[in-house]
Structure formats: structure tokens, C-alpha cells
């Protein structure tokens, strides 16, 4: 058994999308898993909680990368030596560096090489010299316009790692503890829709009052609505929940949120980490997707999906954090009625909403 480092240095959603690749590395190089590996997942601070939930991960190490984290930490000898010394002391023999199209694996590859890692796999448009043993050339060795989860798995496979027989190549997380029993409580009260209105950057956010109107309409259609959000989103979730929806804003850690999403009939959210968490627990998603990044790469993967938003808007592929177009038309043009119609279409594929209960116990 070898110890292999898998690196995904950015956000929670990015880490969740690396799940199939992580399982391939953990499985080793035989479909029957007869030569498994210990996987050390190297991630940034925003991805650590998700990394702890990925099947196949033996150990999680958090490191704030100065070329990924925003705002960027200062590069210091202490910082770089800390990572190099960790890798050396962990007896890591191989590494797979997972990146998106706009990221380079080479800075990390240099540090890993200094730490003595003998085999490094990554995808790089730039000449990698002796930094990568296995180099994929994006656009030549694989197409860029494919789901991010498939891109990550392609990199792992190039390094010689394969998924176990029967793996469905979907996102997945391991269930954990929900000490407050919140998910069970919600399930006992009957079916519900989750609305998650927050977004990490403004360019990906549907207006709060649109969310609130959609919640009112969903309730008018007879649906029970649960609104979720982080600790910094209490005002937003209170506005969206209104007087009658259940407001869980700031009240869930990531494992509890996963259980809440798993129990939902449908999740309504933007291009956010919770969209990928919903996909990882198998829940259909209505995704209000701003085209600042391509939906073919970043839309929720492997679950029934309704994608809303003008994907040909002028902000397309700009990677903007703040909308560059007055009025934010790519999302503000989506009406609450369209969201409710999308929810109803997804529910139409469920044989009986009243009896629908997924098996995912925290």
C-alpha cells in the first residue's frame, strides 16, 4: 500500500467535485481494488470540511496556498517549509494535483519535488520540465468543455489510478454525525424543498427578493420550504424565509447541511458549494447558474437538474466576482414563477413526493 497525496486547493465545491478522482486514487491501479492506497488530501481552508467527508480519504491536511486563496497569504519560508516537511514526514511517494483550467499545478509540483515525491501527475498548458512525471495537455489530451468531476478523474486515470468495479462515477460523501437530530426532525414532519439563497460572490447570486417570492409561491403550491445558509447570511435567510418557511440560516455545520439536503425533495440554489453537496447526496437541483463560468464544467453533476439563467449573457466566461453588466440580467431575468415551474418538473420525475425518503442517515 502506497501513500498518495491528492491536492485540490480551493473551495468546498471543488473538493466535492474531486470525489471520483479521490476514489480512483484510493482504489489503486486495479479495478478490483487489490492494491489500494492511503490518500492524503491536501486542501485549502475552505475545502477542509468537505474533504473530511469524501470516501477514500485517509488524512486531510489543510494549507493556504498563496496562488489560490483570496486574499492571498504572504509567501514565507515558514509556510513553504511547513508543507515540505509535512510531505516528507508523511512518507508520501506519489501525488496527483487536481486543478481547473485557469490554474497551474507547477508551483505545488515544485514544492512536492523538493519534499522528495517521486511521481507527480497533473494537467498543465505550460511546459512542465521535470516538475511533472505525467503531464496532460488541456485541449490536446482531453477537452476542457467537460464536467469538472470528469476532468479530475481524467487526471487521476493518467496517473494510473482506476475506479473500482461498479463505481457510478458520481459525487459522494460519507454520512456523519448530526448531534441535534435536525435532519430526522425535518423528515418526520414530511416532504420539503430546500432553498439556499447565498453565494460566495455577488455575480452568482439571484436577488434576495426573488428568492423570497419563490418561497411564497412554493408554499402556495403546498410545499414545505426550508431555507439554509451560513452564519454570515442570517439576514439574507430571514428575508427569504419570511414568516412561514423554516429558517436554518447559520444553524448547520457541513455534515448536518448534507443530511438536510439529502432529505429534501429538491434543492434550489445557485452555482455554490451546496449545489455540489446536494449532488453528492443525490438530490435533484434547480440551479440558478450565472454564466461567468461554463455550466458544462460547473453545473451540479450526476443528478436530475434544471439549469436556469441566460447562459449567453454578456458576462459569459468572464469569471467575474461582481457582475459587470448593469442589472445583473443573466439571473435577475429569471422569475420566481420559472423557479417554481422547474421544481415542479423535477418533482414530476418522482413517483410519489409524499413517500419519497432517500436513505442517507447522518
Amino acid at each position: 500500500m502506497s501513500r498518495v497525496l491528492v491536492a485540490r486547493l480551493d473551495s468546498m465545491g471543488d473538493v466535492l467535485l474531486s470525489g471520483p478522482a479521490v476514489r480512483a486514487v484510493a482504489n489503486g491501479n486495479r479495478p478490483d481494488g487489490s492494491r489500494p492506497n492511503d490518500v492524503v488530501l491536501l486542501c485549502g481552508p475552505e475545502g477542509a470540511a468537505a474533504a473530511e467527508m469524501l470516501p477514500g480519504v485517509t488524512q486531510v491536511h489543510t494549507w493556504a496556498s498563496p496562488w489560490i486563496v483570496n486574499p492571498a497569504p504572504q509567501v514565507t519560508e515558514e509556510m513553504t517549509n511547513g508543507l515540505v516537511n509535512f510531505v516528507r514526514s508523511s512518507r508520501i511517494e506519489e501525488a496527483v494535483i487536481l486543478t481547473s483550467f485557469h490554474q497551474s499545478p507547477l508551483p505545488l509540483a515544485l514544492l512536492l519535488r523538493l519534499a522528495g515525491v517521486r511521481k507527480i501527475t497533473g494537467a498543465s498548458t505550460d511546459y512542465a520540465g521535470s516538475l511533472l512525471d505525467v503531464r496532460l495537455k488541456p485541449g490536446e489530451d482531453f477537452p476542457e468543455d467537460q464536467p469538472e468531476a470528469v476532468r479530475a478523474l481524467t487526471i487521476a486515470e493518467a496517473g494510473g489510478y482506476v475506479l473500482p468495479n461498479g463505481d457510478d462515477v458520481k459525487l459522494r460523501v460519507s454520512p456523519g454525525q448530526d448531534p441535534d437530530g435536525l435532519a430526522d426532525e425535518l423528515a418526520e414532519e414530511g416532504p420539503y424543498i430546500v432553498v439556499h439563497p447565498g453565494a460566495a460572490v455577488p455575480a452568482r447570486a439571484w436577488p434576495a427578493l426573488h428568492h423570497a417570492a419563490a418561497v411564497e409561491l412554493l408554499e402556495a403550491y403546498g410545499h414545505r420550504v426550508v431555507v439554509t445558509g451560513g452564519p454570515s447570511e442570517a439576514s439574507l435567510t430571514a428575508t427569504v424565509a419570511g414568516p412561514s418557511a423554516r429558517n436554518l440560516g447559520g444553524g448547520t455545520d457541513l455534515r448536518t447541511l448534507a443530511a438536510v439536503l439529502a432529505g429534501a425533495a429538491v434543492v434550489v440554489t445557485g452555482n455554490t458549494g451546496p449545489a455540489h453537496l446536494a449532488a453528492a447526496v443525490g438530490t435533484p437541483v434547480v440551479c440558478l447558474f450565472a454564466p461567468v463560468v461554463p455550466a458544462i464544467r460547473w453545473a451540479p453533476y450526476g443528478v436530475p437538474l434544471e439549469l436556469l439563467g441566460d447562459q449567453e449573457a454578456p458576462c459569459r466566461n468572464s469569471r467575474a466576482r461582481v457582475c459587470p453588466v448593469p442589472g445583473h440580467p443573466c439571473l435577475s431575468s429569471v422569475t420566481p414563477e420559472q423557479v417554481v415551474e422547474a421544481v415542479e418538473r423535477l418533482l414530476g420525475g418522482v413517483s410519489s413526493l409524499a413517500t419519497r425518503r432517500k436513505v442517507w442517515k447522518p
Side-chain angles (χ1 to χ4, degrees):
M1 180 180 292
S2 299
R3 286 177 65 78
V4 183
L5 182 140
V6 177
R8 184 75 221 207
L9 293 171
D10 27 20
S11 70
M12 179 247 286
D14 301 303
V15 169
L16 292 171
L17 287 165
S18 71
V22 168
R23 297 198 303 271
V25 175
N27 183 65
N29 59 9
R30 296 182 181 181
D32 62 1
S34 58
R35 296 182 65 180
N37 293 314
D38 278 339
V39 172
V40 178
L41 186 55
L42 178 67
C43 63
E46 292 185 357
E52 297 280 359
M53 299 171 65
L54 289 185
V57 173
T58 305
Q59 180 181 357
V60 174
H61 185 74
T62 303
W63 187 67
S65 167
W67 59 89
I68 298 289
V69 173
N70 186 11
Q74 291 296 313
V75 179
T76 65
E77 184 175 0
E78 180 181 11
M79 166 198 267
T80 55
N81 284 347
L83 178 62
V84 169
N85 291 336
F86 166 77
V87 173
R88 282 177 179 160
S89 64
S90 298
R91 298 176 290 106
I92 290 168
E93 303 170 12
E94 302 180 12
V96 177
I97 303 175
L98 303 179
T99 51
S100 298
F101 75 99
H102 56 87
Q103 298 168 337
S104 172
L106 301 185
L108 180 59
L110 175 61
L111 294 177
L112 296 179
R113 198 63 96 193
L114 292 174
V117 178
R118 62 176 178 81
K119 179 184 176 184
I120 304 175
T121 298
S124 178
T125 57
D126 298 317
Y127 173 64
S130 60
L131 296 182
L132 297 178
D133 299 284
V134 180
R135 174 198 173 195
L136 282 82
K137 298 178 182 178
E140 296 182 29
D141 296 325
F142 62 88
E144 284 288 26
D145 282 334
Q146 61 178 337
E148 190 73 5
V150 177
R151 184 188 205 273
L153 180 59
T154 300
I155 296 172
E157 289 175 337
Y161 307 103
V162 295
L163 283 169
N165 290 326
D167 194 297
D168 59 10
V169 201
K170 293 183 180 181
L171 307 190
R172 196 181 304 162
V173 291
S174 299
Q177 296 299 315
D178 177 15
D180 297 326
L182 181 57
D184 283 339
E185 174 196 334
L186 290 172
E188 288 169 1
E189 294 173 4
Y192 59 91
I193 308 294
V194 166
V195 174
H196 187 94
V201 296
R204 301 184 186 184
W206 197 43
L209 294 182
H210 283 49
H211 274 106
V215 168
E216 289 184 7
L217 281 173
L218 286 166
E219 291 179 323
Y221 270 64
H223 300 299
R224 186 162 64 103
V225 179
V226 174
V227 179
T228 59
S232 65
E233 298 169 334
S235 176
L236 172 63
T237 59
T239 297
V240 171
S244 51
R246 179 74 177 269
N247 180 13
L248 299 182
T252 59
D253 62 15
L254 196 63
R255 286 191 182 275
T256 300
L257 178 60
V260 169
L261 297 180
V266 174
V267 173
V268 178
T269 187
N271 177 20
T272 64
H276 302 299
L277 187 59
V281 297
T283 300
V285 180
V286 174
C287 189
L288 292 140
F289 196 97
V292 290
V293 293
I296 191 173
R297 302 177 190 173
W298 294 104
Y301 177 72
V303 293
L305 172 68
E306 287 281 337
L307 194 74
L308 302 180
D310 180 3
Q311 301 305 302
E312 300 301 322
C315 63
R316 181 174 180 264
N317 296 338
S318 66
R319 293 176 54 212
R321 298 178 65 86
V322 176
C323 181
V325 183
H328 198 20
C330 70
L331 289 185
S332 62
S333 61
V334 179
T335 67
E337 290 80 4
Q338 288 173 318
V339 169
V340 174
E341 290 167 1
V343 168
E344 292 296 321
R345 285 194 295 271
L346 287 175
L347 293 178
V350 178
S351 59
S352 173
L353 174 60
T355 59
R356 183 177 184 271
R357 293 285 296 278
K358 290 199 294 294
V359 179
W360 197 95
K361 294 293 290 180

